[in-house]
Amino acid sequence: MKKIIIGNWKLNLDHLEAIQLLQKLNYSIEEDKEEKIDIVVSPSHTSLRSIQTIIDTDKLNIQLSAQDVSQFSEGPYTGEVSSHQLNKLNVSYCIVGHSERRIEFNENDEIINKKIHNLISEDITPIICFGESLEQRNNDQYLDHISNQIDAAVKGLRKDKVNNLIFAYEPIWAIGTGEVASAIDVVEVLSMVKEKISEKPFYDSDTVRFIYGGSVTPDNSHELLNSKIIDGALVGGSSLSVEKFVKIINSIDL
Ligand code: 13P
């Protein structure tokens, strides 16, 4: 399975700063890495157009992800951005179900499921985030919680409609805290999720990936990214530094 490294820039960078970061990144990534690893950046909506134009015009080996999509297709929903609008911008991926959206914007499993359906209908790969709180981990409820999140996220997905999917384990306690999950913890969760998903009719072992996110840095990426079951990383803070992001990419043994 080709590994994937996604930089989630979150609510950072205006479009000019985003262009700068993309260009620096492009100069800094070694060519063979670009070919053998899927490298994705996920800027704010306001930067998507500029970044997409550069990727297309300069034929960069970097792909584009959005950070969010509407649960609605069109209509009177002020401020929303639809999956069709993202498709027209050549967006290949979109993050859904991130804990920051679940917690700060009250997104529930039903909304997340609608978003996933909308993305798939526009041939955009959903990066489906899930993960437990510290309390759930300490109470040994994390596997049940994650299992429920996964069931709700993929509800109603049909084999003939699904192209690619990415499942991203992001324990809430590891996001932005500097406290990374151990490779053993990640493998435990991703193995459970993979087993669950592999029983679904839409599962395709060639295209569905299982990745990790939460305080990934150059100091911990080697062990995580060279584990056979971890297909990549969703990187927050470290993706805003070209040096760190490139080191994370380079830590994959090819
Ligand atoms: P950090 O890498 O900053 O912990 O963020 C992880 C994340 O939320 C990626 O989506």
Side-chain angles (χ1 to χ4, degrees):
M1 178 66 78
K2 200 174 182 187
K3 302 253 180 194
I4 185 165
I5 306 292
I6 304 157
N8 177 5
W9 293 349
K10 305 192 181 186
L11 180 45
N12 295 292
L13 314 176
D14 60 41
H15 76 286
L16 299 172
E17 293 163 335
I19 290 169
Q20 254 185 1
L21 185 58
L22 175 79
Q23 283 172 333
K24 265 200 212 161
L25 197 58
N26 183 48
Y27 289 126
S28 310
I29 303 171
E30 295 160 25
E31 222 169 277
D32 69 317
K33 303 277 177 191
E34 280 185 352
E35 282 157 18
K36 295 181 181 147
I37 301 166
D38 282 328
I39 297 162
V40 182
V41 293
S42 190
S44 298
H45 284 341
T46 49
S47 302
L48 287 173
R49 177 70 169 140
S50 319
I51 297 281
Q52 173 257 338
T53 304
I54 295 170
I55 289 177
D56 285 2
T57 321
D58 298 346
K59 299 197 172 34
L60 306 191
N61 258 332
I62 296 175
Q63 301 168 70
L64 186 57
S65 171
Q67 292 180 18
D68 189 27
V69 67
S70 179
Q71 62 176 303
F72 303 107
S73 304
E74 63 176 344
Y77 303 105
T78 304
E80 292 288 271
V81 171
S82 75
S83 55
H84 178 69
Q85 291 170 328
L86 295 179
N87 169 301
K88 284 289 172 197
L89 285 177
N90 287 350
V91 166
S92 309
Y93 306 84
C94 181
I95 298 169
V96 264
H98 197 287
S99 59
E100 286 157 9
R101 295 214 61 84
R102 292 183 195 253
I103 295 165
E104 303 289 341
F105 303 94
N106 297 320
E107 282 192 13
N108 59 28
D109 286 333
E110 199 185 326
I111 294 173
I112 290 159
N113 178 252
K114 281 188 194 161
K115 291 184 174 193
I116 292 169
H117 279 274
N118 286 350
L119 291 169
I120 289 172
S121 72
E122 291 290 338
D123 286 328
I124 296 170
T125 299
I127 301 163
I128 303 169
C129 301
F130 55 92
E132 79 285 1
S133 64
L134 189 57
E135 195 187 351
Q136 286 164 328
R137 174 155 283 267
N138 289 340
N139 293 338
D140 221 11
Q141 296 164 331
Y142 60 103
L143 291 179
D144 283 344
H145 173 70
I146 289 168
S147 181
N148 291 338
Q149 283 186 318
I150 297 291
D151 280 335
V154 302
K155 202 168 158 199
L157 291 197
R158 287 189 15 216
K159 185 180 175 57
D160 54 330
K161 298 278 183 195
V162 177
N163 291 325
N164 298 298
L165 289 173
I166 296 174
F167 290 92
Y169 173 44
E170 293 214 316
I172 297 169
W173 48 270
I175 297 176
T177 58
E179 197 176 332
V180 67
S182 70
I184 294 172
D185 289 340
V186 178
V187 168
E188 181 196 30
V189 169
L190 290 187
S191 304
M192 183 277 283
V193 173
K194 192 170 182 173
E195 199 180 316
K196 200 174 175 64
I197 292 299
S198 59
E199 288 164 4
K200 306 278 183 194
F202 59 77
Y203 177 66
D204 177 348
S205 59
D206 291 335
T207 61
V208 178
R209 287 186 277 203
F210 301 88
I211 69 173
Y212 169 76
S215 296
V216 176
T217 66
D219 294 334
N220 55 41
S221 56
H222 185 264
E223 192 187 4
L224 289 164
L225 289 169
N226 293 295
S227 156
K228 203 161 178 287
I229 189 160
I230 306 173
D231 297 321
L234 183 50
V235 185
S238 296
S239 70
L240 294 169
S241 149
V242 171
E243 198 192 339
K244 286 186 188 167
F245 196 60
V246 169
K247 275 189 185 164
I248 291 170
I249 292 167
N250 288 345
S251 67
I252 299 177
D253 297 332
L254 293 175

Coordinates of all heavy atoms in Angstrom, one line a residue, residues 161-249:
K161 N -20.3 2.5 -5.3 CA -20.1 4.0 -5.2 C -18.8 4.4 -4.6 O -18.4 5.5 -4.7 CB -21.3 4.6 -4.4 CG -22.7 4.4 -4.9 CD -23.0 5.4 -6.0 CE -24.4 5.2 -6.5 NZ -24.7 5.9 -7.7
V162 N -18.2 3.5 -3.8 CA -17.0 3.9 -3.0 C -15.7 3.7 -3.9 O -15.5 2.7 -4.4 CB -16.9 3.1 -1.7 CG1 -15.7 3.5 -1.0 CG2 -18.2 3.3 -0.9
N163 N -15.0 4.8 -4.0 CA -13.7 4.6 -4.7 C -12.6 4.4 -3.7 O -12.0 3.4 -3.6 CB -13.4 5.9 -5.5 CG -14.4 6.0 -6.7 OD1 -14.8 5.0 -7.2 ND2 -14.7 7.2 -7.0
N164 N -12.3 5.4 -2.9 CA -11.2 5.3 -1.9 C -11.8 5.8 -0.6 O -12.7 6.6 -0.5 CB -10.1 6.3 -2.3 CG -9.5 5.9 -3.6 OD1 -8.9 4.8 -3.8 ND2 -9.6 6.8 -4.6
L165 N -11.1 5.3 0.5 CA -11.5 5.8 1.8 C -10.2 5.9 2.6 O -9.3 5.0 2.4 CB -12.4 4.9 2.5 CG -13.9 4.8 2.0 CD1 -14.6 3.7 2.8 CD2 -14.6 6.1 2.2
I166 N -10.1 6.8 3.5 CA -9.0 6.9 4.5 C -9.6 7.0 5.9 O -10.5 7.8 6.1 CB -8.1 8.1 4.2 CG1 -7.4 7.9 2.8 CG2 -7.0 8.2 5.3 CD1 -6.6 9.1 2.4
F167 N -9.2 6.1 6.7 CA -9.6 6.1 8.1 C -8.4 6.6 9.0 O -7.4 6.0 8.9 CB -10.0 4.7 8.6 CG -11.3 4.2 7.9 CD1 -11.3 3.5 6.7 CD2 -12.5 4.6 8.5 CE1 -12.4 3.1 6.1 CE2 -13.7 4.2 7.8 CZ -13.7 3.5 6.7
A168 N -8.7 7.7 9.7 CA -7.6 8.3 10.4 C -7.9 8.3 11.9 O -8.8 8.9 12.4 CB -7.4 9.8 10.0
Y169 N -7.1 7.5 12.6 CA -7.2 7.4 14.1 C -6.5 8.6 14.7 O -5.3 8.8 14.6 CB -6.6 6.1 14.6 CG -6.5 6.0 16.1 CD1 -7.6 6.4 16.9 CD2 -5.3 5.5 16.7 CE1 -7.5 6.3 18.3 CE2 -5.3 5.4 18.1 CZ -6.4 5.8 18.9 OH -6.3 5.8 20.2
E170 N -7.3 9.5 15.3 CA -6.8 10.7 16.0 C -7.3 10.7 17.4 O -8.4 11.3 17.7 CB -7.2 11.9 15.2 CG -6.6 12.0 13.8 CD -6.4 13.5 13.4 OE1 -7.2 14.4 13.7 OE2 -5.3 13.8 12.9
P171 N -6.6 10.1 18.3 CA -7.0 10.2 19.7 C -7.0 11.6 20.2 O -6.1 12.4 19.9 CB -6.0 9.4 20.5 CG -4.9 9.1 19.6 CD -5.3 9.4 18.2
I172 N -8.1 12.1 20.8 CA -8.3 13.5 21.1 C -7.1 13.9 22.1 O -6.6 15.1 21.9 CB -9.7 13.7 21.8 CG1 -10.8 13.4 20.8 CG2 -9.8 15.2 22.3 CD1 -12.2 13.3 21.4
W173 N -6.7 13.1 22.9 CA -5.7 13.4 23.9 C -4.3 13.6 23.3 O -3.4 14.1 23.9 CB -5.6 12.4 25.0 CG -5.6 11.0 24.5 CD1 -6.7 10.2 24.3 CD2 -4.4 10.2 24.2 NE1 -6.3 8.9 23.8 CE2 -4.9 8.9 23.8 CE3 -3.1 10.4 24.2 CZ2 -4.0 7.9 23.3 CZ3 -2.2 9.4 23.8 CH2 -2.7 8.2 23.4
A174 N -4.2 13.2 22.0 CA -2.9 13.3 21.3 C -2.8 14.5 20.4 O -1.7 14.9 19.9 CB -2.6 12.0 20.6
I175 N -4.0 15.2 20.2 CA -4.0 16.2 19.2 C -3.5 17.5 19.8 O -4.1 18.1 20.7 CB -5.4 16.4 18.6 CG1 -5.8 15.1 17.8 CG2 -5.5 17.6 17.7 CD1 -7.3 15.2 17.3
G176 N -2.4 18.0 19.2 CA -1.9 19.3 19.7 C -1.3 19.3 21.1 O -1.1 20.4 21.6
T177 N -1.1 18.2 21.6 CA -0.7 18.1 23.0 C 0.8 17.7 23.2 O 1.4 17.9 24.3 CB -1.5 17.0 23.8 OG1 -1.3 15.8 23.1 CG2 -3.0 17.4 23.8
G178 N 1.4 17.3 22.1 CA 2.7 16.8 22.2 C 2.8 15.3 22.7 O 3.9 14.7 22.8
E179 N 1.6 14.8 23.1 CA 1.6 13.5 23.6 C 1.2 12.5 22.5 O 0.0 12.4 22.2 CB 0.6 13.4 24.8 CG 0.8 12.2 25.6 CD -0.1 12.2 26.9 OE1 -0.5 13.3 27.3 OE2 -0.4 11.1 27.3
V180 N 2.1 11.9 21.9 CA 1.8 11.0 20.8 C 1.4 9.6 21.3 O 1.8 9.2 22.3 CB 3.1 10.9 19.9 CG1 4.2 10.2 20.5 CG2 2.7 10.2 18.5
A181 N 0.5 9.0 20.6 CA 0.1 7.6 20.9 C 1.3 6.7 20.6 O 2.0 6.9 19.6 CB -1.1 7.2 20.1
S182 N 1.5 5.6 21.3 CA 2.6 4.7 21.0 C 2.2 3.9 19.8 O 1.0 3.7 19.5 CB 2.8 3.8 22.2 OG 1.7 2.9 22.3
A183 N 3.2 3.4 19.1 CA 2.9 2.5 17.9 C 2.0 1.3 18.3 O 1.1 0.9 17.5 CB 4.2 2.1 17.3
I184 N 2.2 0.8 19.5 CA 1.4 -0.3 19.9 C -0.1 0.1 20.1 O -1.0 -0.6 19.6 CB 2.0 -0.8 21.3 CG1 3.4 -1.4 21.1 CG2 1.0 -1.9 21.9 CD1 4.1 -1.8 22.3
D185 N -0.3 1.3 20.7 CA -1.7 1.7 20.8 C -2.3 1.9 19.4 O -3.5 1.6 19.2 CB -1.7 3.1 21.5 CG -1.4 3.0 23.0 OD1 -1.5 1.9 23.5 OD2 -1.0 4.0 23.6
V186 N -1.6 2.5 18.5 CA -2.1 2.8 17.2 C -2.4 1.5 16.4 O -3.5 1.4 15.8 CB -1.1 3.7 16.3 CG1 -1.7 4.0 15.0 CG2 -0.9 5.0 17.1
V187 N -1.5 0.6 16.5 CA -1.7 -0.7 15.8 C -2.9 -1.4 16.4 O -3.7 -2.0 15.7 CB -0.4 -1.6 15.9 CG1 -0.7 -3.0 15.5 CG2 0.7 -1.0 15.1
E188 N -3.1 -1.4 17.7 CA -4.2 -2.0 18.3 C -5.6 -1.5 17.7 O -6.4 -2.2 17.3 CB -4.3 -1.8 19.9 CG -5.4 -2.5 20.5 CD -5.7 -2.0 21.9 OE1 -5.4 -0.8 22.2 OE2 -6.2 -2.8 22.7
V189 N -5.7 -0.1 17.7 CA -6.9 0.5 17.2 C -7.1 0.3 15.7 O -8.1 -0.1 15.3 CB -6.9 2.0 17.6 CG1 -8.0 2.7 16.8 CG2 -7.0 2.2 19.1
L190 N -6.0 0.5 15.0 CA -6.2 0.4 13.5 C -6.4 -1.1 13.1 O -7.2 -1.3 12.1 CB -4.9 0.9 12.8 CG -4.8 2.5 12.8 CD1 -3.6 2.9 11.9 CD2 -6.1 3.2 12.4
S191 N -5.9 -2.0 13.8 CA -6.2 -3.4 13.5 C -7.7 -3.7 13.7 O -8.3 -4.4 12.9 CB -5.4 -4.4 14.4 OG -4.0 -4.1 14.3
M192 N -8.2 -3.2 14.8 CA -9.6 -3.4 15.1 C -10.5 -2.8 14.0 O -11.4 -3.4 13.4 CB -10.0 -2.8 16.5 CG -11.4 -3.0 16.9 SD -12.6 -1.8 16.3 CE -12.2 -0.4 17.3
V193 N -10.1 -1.6 13.6 CA -10.9 -0.8 12.6 C -10.8 -1.5 11.2 O -11.7 -1.7 10.5 CB -10.4 0.6 12.5 CG1 -11.1 1.3 11.3 CG2 -10.7 1.4 13.8
K194 N -9.6 -2.0 10.9 CA -9.3 -2.7 9.7 C -10.1 -4.0 9.6 O -10.7 -4.3 8.5 CB -7.8 -2.9 9.5 CG -7.5 -3.4 8.1 CD -6.0 -3.4 7.9 CE -5.6 -3.7 6.5 NZ -4.2 -3.6 6.2
E195 N -10.1 -4.7 10.7 CA -10.9 -5.9 10.7 C -12.4 -5.7 10.5 O -13.0 -6.3 9.7 CB -10.7 -6.6 12.0 CG -11.0 -8.1 12.0 CD -10.8 -8.7 13.4 OE1 -9.7 -8.4 14.0 OE2 -11.6 -9.5 13.8
K196 N -12.8 -4.7 11.1 CA -14.2 -4.3 11.0 C -14.6 -3.9 9.5 O -15.6 -4.3 9.0 CB -14.5 -3.1 11.9 CG -15.8 -2.8 12.3 CD -15.8 -1.7 13.3 CE -17.2 -1.3 13.7 NZ -18.0 -2.3 14.3
I197 N -13.7 -3.0 9.0 CA -14.0 -2.5 7.7 C -13.8 -3.6 6.6 O -14.5 -3.6 5.6 CB -13.1 -1.2 7.4 CG1 -13.5 -0.1 8.3 CG2 -13.1 -0.8 5.9 CD1 -14.9 0.4 8.1
S198 N -12.9 -4.5 6.8 CA -12.7 -5.5 5.8 C -13.9 -6.5 5.7 O -14.0 -7.2 4.7 CB -11.4 -6.3 6.1 OG -11.5 -6.9 7.3
E199 N -14.8 -6.4 6.6 CA -16.0 -7.2 6.5 C -17.1 -6.5 5.7 O -18.1 -7.1 5.4 CB -16.5 -7.6 7.9 CG -15.7 -8.6 8.6 CD -16.0 -8.7 10.1 OE1 -16.9 -8.0 10.6 OE2 -15.3 -9.4 10.8
K200 N -16.9 -5.2 5.4 CA -17.9 -4.5 4.7 C -17.9 -4.7 3.2 O -16.8 -4.9 2.7 CB -17.7 -2.9 5.0 CG -17.6 -2.5 6.4 CD -19.0 -2.4 7.1 CE -18.9 -1.9 8.5 NZ -20.1 -2.0 9.3
P201 N -19.0 -4.7 2.6 CA -19.0 -5.0 1.1 C -18.2 -4.1 0.3 O -17.7 -4.4 -0.8 CB -20.5 -5.0 0.8 CG -21.2 -4.4 1.9 CD -20.4 -4.5 3.1
F202 N -18.1 -2.8 0.8 CA -17.4 -1.8 0.0 C -15.8 -1.9 0.1 O -15.1 -1.2 -0.5 CB -17.9 -0.4 0.3 CG -17.7 0.0 1.7 CD1 -16.4 0.4 2.2 CD2 -18.7 0.0 2.6 CE1 -16.3 0.7 3.5 CE2 -18.6 0.3 3.9 CZ -17.3 0.7 4.4
Y203 N -15.4 -2.7 1.1 CA -13.9 -2.7 1.3 C -13.1 -3.2 0.1 O -13.4 -4.2 -0.5 CB -13.6 -3.6 2.5 CG -12.1 -3.7 2.8 CD1 -11.5 -2.6 3.3 CD2 -11.4 -4.9 2.7 CE1 -10.1 -2.7 3.6 CE2 -10.1 -5.0 2.9 CZ -9.4 -3.9 3.4 OH -8.1 -4.0 3.7
D204 N -12.0 -2.4 -0.1 CA -11.1 -2.8 -1.2 C -9.7 -2.7 -0.6 O -9.3 -1.6 -0.3 CB -11.3 -1.9 -2.4 CG -10.3 -2.2 -3.5 OD1 -9.4 -3.0 -3.3 OD2 -10.5 -1.6 -4.6
S205 N -9.0 -3.8 -0.5 CA -7.7 -3.8 0.2 C -6.7 -3.0 -0.6 O -5.6 -2.6 0.0 CB -7.2 -5.2 0.5 OG -7.1 -5.9 -0.8
D206 N -6.9 -2.7 -1.8 CA -6.0 -2.0 -2.6 C -6.1 -0.5 -2.4 O -5.2 0.3 -2.8 CB -6.1 -2.3 -4.1 CG -5.7 -3.7 -4.4 OD1 -4.9 -4.2 -3.7 OD2 -6.2 -4.2 -5.4
T207 N -7.3 0.0 -2.0 CA -7.5 1.4 -1.9 C -7.8 2.0 -0.6 O -7.6 3.2 -0.4 CB -8.6 1.9 -2.9 OG1 -9.8 1.2 -2.5 CG2 -8.3 1.5 -4.3
V208 N -8.2 1.2 0.4 CA -8.6 1.8 1.7 C -7.4 1.8 2.6 O -6.7 0.8 2.7 CB -9.7 0.9 2.3 CG1 -10.1 1.5 3.7 CG2 -11.0 0.9 1.4
R209 N -7.2 3.0 3.1 CA -6.0 3.2 4.0 C -6.3 3.5 5.4 O -7.4 4.1 5.7 CB -5.1 4.3 3.4 CG -4.4 3.7 2.1 CD -3.4 4.7 1.6 NE -4.0 5.7 0.8 CZ -3.3 6.4 -0.2 NH1 -2.0 6.2 -0.4 NH2 -4.0 7.3 -0.9
F210 N -5.5 3.2 6.3 CA -5.7 3.4 7.8 C -4.4 4.1 8.3 O -3.3 3.6 8.3 CB -5.8 2.0 8.5 CG -7.0 1.2 7.9 CD1 -6.8 0.3 6.8 CD2 -8.2 1.3 8.5 CE1 -7.9 -0.4 6.3 CE2 -9.3 0.6 7.9 CZ -9.1 -0.2 6.9
I211 N -4.7 5.3 8.8 CA -3.6 6.2 9.1 C -3.7 6.7 10.6 O -4.7 6.5 11.2 CB -3.4 7.4 8.1 CG1 -4.6 8.4 8.3 CG2 -3.3 6.8 6.7 CD1 -4.4 9.6 7.4
Y212 N -2.7 7.4 11.0 CA -2.7 8.0 12.4 C -2.4 9.5 12.4 O -1.7 10.0 11.6 CB -1.6 7.3 13.2 CG -1.4 8.0 14.6 CD1 -2.3 7.9 15.6 CD2 -0.3 8.9 14.7 CE1 -2.1 8.6 16.8 CE2 -0.1 9.6 15.9 CZ -1.1 9.4 16.9 OH -0.9 10.1 18.1
G213 N -3.0 10.2 13.3 CA -2.8 11.6 13.5 C -2.8 12.0 15.0 O -3.6 11.4 15.8
G214 N -2.0 12.9 15.4 CA -1.9 13.3 16.8 C -0.5 13.5 17.2 O 0.2 12.5 17.5
S215 N 0.0 14.8 17.2 CA 1.4 15.1 17.6 C 2.5 14.3 16.9 O 3.5 13.9 17.5 CB 1.5 14.9 19.2 OG 0.7 15.8 19.9
V216 N 2.2 14.1 15.6 CA 3.3 13.4 14.8 C 4.4 14.5 14.6 O 4.1 15.6 14.1 CB 2.7 12.9 13.5 CG1 3.9 12.3 12.6 CG2 1.7 11.9 13.7
T217 N 5.6 14.1 14.9 CA 6.8 15.0 14.7 C 7.9 14.1 14.1 O 7.8 12.9 14.0 CB 7.3 15.5 16.0 OG1 7.8 14.4 16.8 CG2 6.2 16.2 16.8
P218 N 9.0 14.8 13.6 CA 10.1 14.0 13.1 C 10.7 13.0 14.1 O 11.4 12.0 13.8 CB 11.2 15.0 12.7 CG 10.4 16.3 12.5 CD 9.2 16.2 13.4
D219 N 10.5 13.3 15.4 CA 11.0 12.5 16.5 C 10.3 11.2 16.7 O 10.8 10.2 17.2 CB 11.0 13.2 17.8 CG 11.9 14.4 17.8 OD1 12.9 14.4 17.0 OD2 11.7 15.4 18.5
N220 N 9.0 11.1 16.3 CA 8.3 9.9 16.5 C 7.8 9.3 15.2 O 7.2 8.2 15.2 CB 7.1 10.1 17.5 CG 6.2 11.3 17.0 OD1 5.9 11.4 15.8 ND2 5.7 12.1 17.9
S221 N 8.0 9.9 14.1 CA 7.4 9.5 12.8 C 8.0 8.2 12.3 O 7.3 7.4 11.6 CB 7.5 10.5 11.7 OG 8.8 11.0 11.6
H222 N 9.3 7.9 12.6 CA 9.9 6.7 11.9 C 9.2 5.5 12.4 O 8.9 4.6 11.6 CB 11.4 6.7 12.2 CG 12.1 5.6 11.5 ND1 12.4 4.4 12.2 CD2 12.6 5.5 10.3 CE1 13.0 3.6 11.3 NE2 13.1 4.2 10.1
E223 N 9.1 5.3 13.7 CA 8.4 4.1 14.2 C 7.0 4.0 13.7 O 6.6 2.9 13.3 CB 8.5 4.1 15.7 CG 8.1 2.7 16.3 CD 8.0 2.7 17.8 OE1 8.1 3.8 18.4 OE2 7.7 1.6 18.3
L224 N 6.3 5.1 13.8 CA 4.8 5.0 13.4 C 4.7 4.7 11.9 O 3.9 3.8 11.5 CB 4.2 6.3 13.7 CG 3.9 6.7 15.1 CD1 3.6 8.2 15.3 CD2 2.8 5.8 15.7
L225 N 5.5 5.4 11.1 CA 5.2 5.3 9.6 C 5.9 4.0 9.0 O 5.6 3.7 7.8 CB 5.8 6.5 8.9 CG 4.9 7.8 9.2 CD1 5.6 9.0 8.8 CD2 3.6 7.6 8.5
N226 N 6.7 3.4 9.7 CA 7.2 2.1 9.1 C 6.6 0.9 9.7 O 7.0 -0.2 9.4 CB 8.8 2.1 9.3 CG 9.4 3.2 8.4 OD1 9.3 3.1 7.2 ND2 9.9 4.2 9.0
S227 N 5.5 1.1 10.4 CA 4.7 -0.1 10.8 C 3.9 -0.5 9.6 O 3.4 0.3 8.9 CB 3.8 0.4 12.0 OG 2.7 -0.5 12.1
K228 N 3.8 -1.8 9.5 CA 3.1 -2.3 8.3 C 1.6 -1.9 8.2 O 1.1 -1.7 7.2 CB 3.2 -3.9 8.3 CG 3.1 -4.4 6.9 CD 3.7 -5.8 6.8 CE 3.4 -6.4 5.4 NZ 2.1 -6.8 5.1
I229 N 1.0 -1.8 9.4 CA -0.4 -1.6 9.4 C -0.8 -0.1 9.3 O -1.9 0.3 9.0 CB -1.1 -2.2 10.6 CG1 -2.6 -2.1 10.5 CG2 -0.7 -1.7 11.9 CD1 -3.4 -3.1 11.3
I230 N 0.2 0.8 9.6 CA -0.1 2.2 9.6 C 0.3 2.8 8.2 O 1.4 2.8 7.8 CB 0.7 3.0 10.7 CG1 0.4 2.3 12.0 CG2 0.3 4.5 10.7 CD1 1.2 2.9 13.2
D231 N -0.7 3.2 7.4 CA -0.5 3.5 6.0 C -0.2 5.0 5.8 O -0.1 5.5 4.7 CB -1.8 3.3 5.2 CG -2.2 1.8 5.2 OD1 -1.2 0.9 5.1 OD2 -3.4 1.4 5.3
G232 N 0.0 5.7 6.9 CA 0.3 7.1 6.8 C 0.0 8.0 8.0 O -0.3 7.4 9.0
A233 N 0.1 9.3 7.8 CA -0.1 10.2 8.9 C -0.9 11.4 8.5 O -0.7 11.9 7.4 CB 1.2 10.6 9.6
L234 N -1.7 11.9 9.5 CA -2.4 13.2 9.3 C -1.7 14.1 10.3 O -1.8 13.9 11.5 CB -3.9 13.0 9.7 CG -4.8 14.2 9.5 CD1 -4.7 14.9 8.2 CD2 -6.3 13.7 9.7
V235 N -1.0 15.1 9.7 CA -0.1 15.9 10.6 C -0.6 17.3 10.7 O -0.9 18.0 9.7 CB 1.3 16.0 9.9 CG1 2.3 16.7 10.7 CG2 1.8 14.6 9.5
G236 N -0.7 17.8 12.0 CA -1.2 19.1 12.2 C 0.0 20.1 12.3 O 0.6 20.5 11.3
G237 N 0.3 20.4 13.6 CA 1.3 21.4 13.8 C 2.6 21.3 13.0 O 3.1 22.3 12.5
S238 N 3.1 20.1 12.9 CA 4.4 19.9 12.2 C 4.3 20.1 10.7 O 5.3 20.3 10.0 CB 4.9 18.4 12.4 OG 5.2 18.2 13.8
S239 N 3.1 20.2 10.2 CA 3.0 20.4 8.7 C 3.1 21.9 8.4 O 3.2 22.2 7.2 CB 1.6 19.9 8.2 OG 0.5 20.7 8.7
L240 N 3.1 22.7 9.4 CA 3.3 24.2 9.1 C 4.8 24.5 9.0 O 5.1 25.6 8.6 CB 2.6 25.0 10.2 CG 1.1 24.9 10.3 CD1 0.6 25.5 11.6 CD2 0.5 25.5 9.1
S241 N 5.6 23.6 9.3 CA 7.1 23.8 9.2 C 7.6 22.9 8.0 O 7.4 21.6 8.1 CB 7.8 23.4 10.5 OG 9.1 22.9 10.2
V242 N 8.1 23.5 7.0 CA 8.5 22.7 5.8 C 9.6 21.7 6.3 O 9.6 20.5 5.9 CB 9.1 23.6 4.7 CG1 9.8 22.8 3.6 CG2 8.0 24.5 4.1
E243 N 10.5 22.2 7.2 CA 11.6 21.3 7.6 C 11.1 20.1 8.3 O 11.5 18.9 8.0 CB 12.5 22.1 8.6 CG 13.8 21.5 8.7 CD 14.6 22.2 9.9 OE1 14.2 23.3 10.3 OE2 15.5 21.5 10.4
K244 N 10.1 20.3 9.2 CA 9.6 19.1 10.0 C 8.7 18.2 9.1 O 8.8 17.0 9.1 CB 8.7 19.6 11.1 CG 9.5 20.2 12.3 CD 8.6 20.5 13.4 CE 9.3 21.3 14.5 NZ 8.4 21.9 15.5
F245 N 7.9 18.8 8.2 CA 7.1 18.0 7.4 C 7.9 17.1 6.4 O 7.6 16.0 6.2 CB 6.1 19.0 6.6 CG 4.9 18.2 5.9 CD1 4.0 17.6 6.7 CD2 4.7 18.3 4.6 CE1 2.9 16.9 6.2 CE2 3.6 17.7 4.0 CZ 2.7 17.0 4.8
V246 N 9.0 17.7 5.9 CA 9.8 17.0 5.0 C 10.5 15.9 5.7 O 10.7 14.7 5.2 CB 10.8 17.9 4.2 CG1 11.9 17.1 3.5 CG2 10.0 18.8 3.3
K247 N 11.0 16.2 6.9 CA 11.6 15.1 7.8 C 10.7 14.0 8.0 O 11.1 12.8 8.0 CB 12.1 15.7 9.1 CG 13.5 16.4 9.0 CD 13.9 16.7 10.4 CE 15.3 17.5 10.3 NZ 15.6 18.2 11.5
I248 N 9.4 14.3 8.3 CA 8.4 13.2 8.5 C 8.3 12.4 7.2 O 8.3 11.2 7.3 CB 7.0 13.9 8.9 CG1 7.2 14.4 10.3 CG2 5.9 12.8 8.9 CD1 6.0 15.3 10.8
I249 N 8.2 13.0 6.1 CA 8.1 12.3 4.8 C 9.3 11.4 4.6 O 9.2 10.2 4.3 CB 7.9 13.3 3.6 CG1 6.6 14.0 3.7 CG2 8.1 12.6 2.3 CD1 6.5 15.2 2.8

